[in-house]
Amino acid sequence: MKFLASTLVPRKSRGLGSPPLSRTERFTELIDLALWAERVGYDAFGIGERHNPELLSSSPAVILSNIAARTSRIRLVTTVAVLSLTDPVRSAEDYATLDHLSGGRLDLIIGKGGDAVAPSVFGVDPADLWDRLEEGYELLRRLWREEKVTWEGRYRPKLTEASLEPRPLQQPAPRVWHGSATDKRSTELAARWGDPLYSANGTDRVDHYLDLVAHYRERLAFHGHDPDHALVAVGVHSPIITDRSQDALAIARPMFEASVAEHYRVRARFPFESLEDFVENGSALVGTAEQITEKLLGLQRKFGNQVFGVGVEGFFSTYTTELAVTRGYLERFFAEVAPVLRAEIPTTVWE
């Protein structure tokens, strides 16, 4: 089993009632977090592209390039790159450059994007997002694989004998995953190309994500790919690990309630009845090291995944404890939970 850290780089305060960190302070904290993630045992570090005033992750390639210059081992991942909004030629160039600067450590996760603000910023009709993603990805694939590309589509000017520089360092081209959270068009697109799938497994019930992964495997077979060799990653929230499960629940409860109140103003729209329901039937990791280990082994048996994306900046949204406390939970995770999963679920991903 391998482990991926990821963040959307939310604006953060110095504490309750305090002003947010400056942008420079937040980026400095983020780079330090990536260095720590490599030291503590994460296999990959991801930045999710968003174009939203509450977040600072509009340029994943730039942020990951800085991390690449300061690290030596950890994989660099987009979680996700929103190809539905950006020019695929520009994205192909940016991420090929990052692949060279990192010594071939790039993995791309692409997606339609789930931010309601972003399409208006780019002047994109939300109804076109899926079609733009599919067209943009097909062009990016060709630019990474062919010396000269002649191409015409709906959403950007045509290309005639276009040659990309640089092409990626990794040959064959870097692995491209497809982010999946809500719609079977993501699993269909991944299956069509025989690409790996990243199941977000965020704030819906596990059964919802299992249905999408099952569809992905069915469509892999339909398109002539072997579903038994499907490469799947699954997301879970940042852990809260204590010696007694009731203590972990007590720590998580106020953060859970505050986050639900902010993001689900109509409580009935939230798919979990309680924190306990979220822990039992969702992606929350709250409890003892033994309980969290058993939960992750159980999820792996259901999803058949080889990677877990484990939150790195605190439990459930921006309502978190101090960064040092979060790191303490994660240090216990990599000391007590991760070794069991690595031994039980061997994989050659990111070797």
Side-chain angles (χ1 to χ4, degrees):
M1 180 60 66
K2 297 294 171 65
F3 299 97
L4 162 67
S6 66
T7 177
L8 297 175
V9 200
R11 300 295 301 273
K12 292 174 63 178
S13 72
R14 296 176 177 85
L16 187 63
S18 299
L21 297 174
S22 71
R23 295 171 180 85
T24 300
E25 289 172 326
R26 184 65 177 106
F27 281 125
T28 299
E29 180 183 79
L30 174 66
I31 300 305
D32 178 68
L33 183 65
L35 300 179
W36 173 84
E38 181 173 68
R39 292 194 304 269
V40 80
Y42 276 106
D43 301 286
F45 194 90
I47 300 293
E49 179 183 347
R50 293 291 187 276
H51 302 274
N52 184 310
E54 299 300 317
L55 306 168
L56 295 176
S57 56
S58 59
S59 300
V62 176
I63 298 172
L64 291 171
S65 292
N66 190 297
I67 294 170
R70 299 163 184 257
T71 56
S72 60
R73 174 190 59 81
I74 203 163
R75 298 291 296 185
L76 306 168
V77 184
T78 59
T79 53
V80 300
V82 187
L83 289 191
S84 58
L85 298 177
T86 54
D87 186 331
V89 175
R90 177 80 267 180
S91 294
E93 292 173 336
D94 285 347
Y95 288 113
T97 300
L98 172 57
D99 196 43
H100 281 272
L101 293 174
S102 66
R105 288 187 278 148
L106 172 69
D107 273 54
L108 205 62
I109 304 179
I110 65 169
K112 173 186 72 70
D115 193 331
V117 175
S120 63
V121 173
F122 285 86
V124 170
D125 185 343
D128 292 336
L129 289 175
W130 281 113
D131 290 340
R132 291 175 65 95
L133 172 66
E134 292 175 6
E135 179 180 291
Y137 177 49
E138 183 174 356
L139 176 55
L140 182 143
R141 283 181 61 90
R142 291 189 59 191
L143 290 168
W144 275 4
R145 288 165 171 79
E146 300 175 25
E147 291 288 348
K148 294 185 178 180
V149 175
T150 297
W151 175 92
E152 187 170 358
R154 294 172 56 194
Y155 299 109
R156 74 167 319 281
K158 67 180 181 179
L159 300 174
T160 303
E161 297 289 295
S163 182
L164 175 72
E165 284 296 339
R167 295 176 69 194
L169 174 62
Q170 294 178 77
Q171 294 296 327
R175 183 183 288 114
V176 178
W177 306 66
H178 295 253
S180 170
T182 59
D183 197 295
K184 290 181 178 178
R185 286 191 70 169
S186 61
T187 49
E188 173 65 28
L189 183 61
R192 182 194 314 167
W193 295 105
D195 290 334
L197 188 77
Y198 184 91
S199 177
N201 201 25
T203 56
D204 216 322
R205 300 179 79 83
V206 166
D207 287 348
H208 165 79
Y209 302 103
L210 284 171
D211 182 57
L212 288 168
V213 173
H215 177 260
Y216 165 63
R217 288 195 165 94
E218 291 170 5
R219 299 304 293 173
L220 277 172
F222 175 85
H223 290 290
H225 308 290
D226 185 355
D228 292 335
H229 289 87
L231 180 54
V232 175
V234 172
V236 290
H237 286 275
S238 188
I240 294 178
I241 303 177
T242 57
D243 292 335
R244 302 190 311 163
S245 59
Q246 58 266 43
D247 294 337
L249 289 167
I251 292 167
R253 196 174 307 281
M255 293 182 278
F256 170 81
E257 295 294 344
S259 190
V260 173
E262 178 182 3
H263 297 292
Y264 294 86
R265 299 187 187 281
V266 179
R267 181 62 183 261
R269 294 180 180 175
F270 187 63
F272 300 97
E273 296 178 0
S274 63
L275 172 61
E276 286 77 4
D277 187 22
F278 186 36
V279 172
E280 179 69 23
N281 297 296
S283 55
L285 302 182
V286 179
T288 67
E290 293 79 9
Q291 288 172 326
I292 290 173
T293 300
E294 286 304 312
K295 173 168 183 171
L296 291 175
L297 288 172
L299 286 175
Q300 196 281 330
R301 286 191 288 269
K302 293 178 180 179
F303 282 97
N305 58 300
Q306 298 182 45
V307 177
F308 272 119
V310 180
V312 73
E313 288 208 88
F315 173 74
F316 204 49
S317 186
T318 55
Y319 292 91
T320 65
T321 52
E322 294 295 326
L323 186 58
V325 177
T326 296
R327 288 186 179 186
Y329 296 140
L330 286 164
E331 285 165 359
R332 286 196 66 173
F333 179 89
F334 281 101
E336 302 176 40
V337 178
V340 179
L341 271 71
R342 293 193 196 278
E344 292 282 336
I345 309 156
T347 176
T348 59
V349 178
W350 298 332
E351 293 274 315

